[in-house]
Amino acid sequence: MASPEAPTADKFQILPEESKKSKDADSMLLVVFVILANFIAFISLGLAIVGVAQNGSNVYNIGTSSGSDNGFSSGTWSGGFSSGTWSGGFSSGTWSGGFSSGEKIWIFQIGHYVGNTQYLDESSGTIKGYNVDVVNAVCQLANKNCALVWDLYENCWDSQVGQRARGGKGLMGSWYHACVGWANTRDRARTYLFSSSFEKSLSPAYFVKKGGSFDFFPNFSGKKVGILDGWSVDEHCLARYNDVTGFDETDVMQVTHYGSEDDIIAALSSDTIDVAFVPRTPYFDMSQMVEYTGEPGEDLCVIGGPAMMMRKDQFELRTWWDAFFEKLIATSQYNDICDNVEETHGDQPGFDKEYVCVV
Ligand SMILES: *[C@@H]1O[C@H](CO)[C@@H](O)[C@H](O)[C@H]1NC(C)=O
């Protein structure tokens, strides 16, 4: 397992190479222009934030409770520009000192599958749910500016039939610092860093069509299996169960990925697939078209429940997130957040708070 020192060691190997370049006058000029451009960009960003913060509410979080959007509008820019230092050096090209750490904006991806942890609230046009409430509260406690960015889940974790799943281009490509609410798995842990878990995992489950048969279990030979694309409950996990026979996780004839719960339900109903191996989401549970046939026993799909999933260079984020999430769960505010799973978000499909909250 990589220690926090590992990235630093890598950087030391890169630095001497890069510093040679800066002796070259042209490169030096370019570097100066890049710094200048970055600095102007940061000032512009700062001014933009000052511009939208004129309502004066001084909160360092995403403004969901006030009914504003999930962006910056309720944030106040209190730092000013003069305290920033360029501590990254030329070679790594990052503004790592920045405005003091309390003023950096942390960007988190979020999507909306149907459920009380992440859903699109049509009346406000914003994403709401238990996950949003947790992000909001942790960012407030930590005094960090955080913003949620809606994006496709596949941009966090990309999973294609017949191939190994891999990091999504959004998270790998630094479009955001983390993706919210991803279970830790052995596949994902090779690619990403995870915070401590802030939610209980959904169990892996088998669903067949309403009135359909699951008598073939555990012999999957000749059976077609539907997988919910990108989730921890996938064909690689199914292949880990020793009691299952006749299943080949790399066989594109046997395994089909679907983008949504509705697509899986349609595929079961039309006999395109015989069985779905999926997380037991509230949406599947509530569907009149499919039938829950049980869980495979021990959960071999995850090694940790839903968490913040981030690149392996995000030790700073993981450190403050874990520290302040631990503080949060010791407060009555966390009880309120858990009550809201059934109250504020109670009109959404979902499990009761004891199956969502970690304490
Ligand atoms: C599994 O099912 C296939 C196809 O129905 C059958 O040919 C095979 O003998 C079965 N294997 C076992 C171990 O029952």
Side-chain angles (χ1 to χ4, degrees):
M1 196 55 219
S3 73
E5 270 64 54
T8 315
D10 287 343
K11 214 188 260 175
F12 281 145
Q13 285 160 2
I14 295 164
L15 280 171
E17 258 316 35
E18 292 290 319
S19 61
K20 276 182 226 146
K21 284 188 199 154
S22 63
K23 294 198 183 90
D24 178 76
D26 289 346
S27 294
M28 193 62 199
L29 201 60
L30 185 64
V31 166
V32 168
F33 272 118
V34 168
I35 293 169
L36 203 62
N38 273 303
F39 194 65
I40 290 168
F42 270 96
I43 288 178
S44 307
L45 179 62
L47 290 175
I49 291 165
V50 170
V52 294
Q54 280 170 356
N55 63 23
S57 64
N58 189 17
V59 286
Y60 289 87
N61 56 67
I62 48 175
T64 49
S65 54
S66 62
S68 60
D69 69 13
N70 291 338
F72 308 122
S73 59
S74 61
T76 294
W77 183 267
S78 64
F81 312 115
S82 57
S83 62
T85 54
W86 179 267
S87 68
F90 300 155
S91 58
S92 65
T94 55
W95 179 265
S96 67
F99 313 103
S100 76
S101 62
E103 290 139 22
K104 173 174 175 168
I105 297 165
W106 298 88
I107 306 281
F108 304 136
Q109 182 274 354
I110 199 154
H112 69 282
Y113 82 97
V114 180
N116 57 11
T117 59
Q118 294 186 9
Y119 65 93
L120 176 59
D121 173 48
E122 295 286 2
S123 64
S124 66
T126 63
I127 303 298
K128 290 188 174 173
Y130 167 79
N131 286 175
V132 175
D133 296 341
V134 167
V135 171
N136 200 344
V138 171
C139 291
Q140 266 187 54
L141 274 180
N143 200 25
K144 303 290 186 189
N145 293 308
C146 302
L148 293 178
V149 172
W150 185 93
D151 199 10
L152 299 173
Y153 289 120
E154 70 195 41
N155 288 332
C156 288
W157 184 246
D158 189 2
S159 165
Q160 316 260 352
V161 179
Q163 301 174 17
R164 283 209 171 273
R166 79 250 351 219
K169 60 187 174 186
L171 187 52
M172 291 299 275
S174 302
W175 298 356
Y176 12 79
H177 296 100
C179 296
V180 181
W182 288 74
N184 192 351
T185 70
R186 46 187 112 186
D187 291 338
R188 291 173 188 165
R190 285 196 298 274
T191 302
Y192 289 133
L193 194 64
F194 286 81
S195 72
S196 58
S197 171
F198 52 75
E199 189 188 318
K200 288 182 183 146
S201 297
L202 297 175
S203 310
Y206 298 112
F207 284 88
V208 296
K209 76 170 178 182
K210 195 79 181 174
S213 165
F214 195 44
D215 292 345
F216 60 83
F217 183 86
N219 182 357
F220 281 65
S221 177
K223 301 298 176 189
K224 292 190 186 300
V225 182
I227 298 289
L228 203 47
D229 191 51
W231 286 68
S232 56
V233 181
D234 62 8
E235 65 271 29
H236 311 295
C237 176
L238 180 55
R240 276 183 212 123
Y241 287 91
N242 289 328
D243 55 339
V244 167
T245 59
F247 179 70
D248 178 0
E249 63 187 300
T250 67
D251 184 354
V252 297
M253 298 302 291
Q254 194 170 27
V255 179
T256 309
H257 280 202
Y258 294 91
S260 72
E261 292 151 305
D262 276 332
D263 292 346
I264 291 239
I265 291 168
L268 283 170
S269 302
S270 64
D271 294 318
T272 309
I273 54 174
D274 300 290
V275 61
F277 182 64
V278 288
R280 189 178 175 186
T281 66
Y283 195 73
F284 282 125
D285 251 8
M286 285 173 41
S287 170
Q288 300 302 308
M289 315 273 286
V290 299
E291 207 160 293
Y292 171 70
T293 64
E295 295 174 8
E298 188 195 353
D299 185 344
L300 299 182
C301 299
V302 300
I303 54 178
M308 300 296 274
M309 181 168 81
M310 58 198 92
R311 284 184 313 283
K312 291 193 175 182
D313 60 358
Q314 296 297 307
F315 288 101
E316 182 189 351
L317 170 57
R318 187 173 71 166
T319 301
W320 69 254
W321 176 277
D322 281 352
F324 285 97
F325 180 69
E326 203 175 320
K327 280 203 167 83
L328 174 66
I329 59 179
T331 66
S332 63
Q333 193 188 354
Y334 189 65
N335 299 336
D336 296 342
I337 287 172
C338 292
D339 287 344
N340 280 337
V341 168
E342 292 165 43
E343 291 164 13
T344 311
H345 312 305
D347 56 341
Q348 295 295 315
F351 292 111
D352 292 346
K353 61 183 178 183
E354 61 265 36
Y355 299 104
V356 173
C357 289
V358 290
V359 290

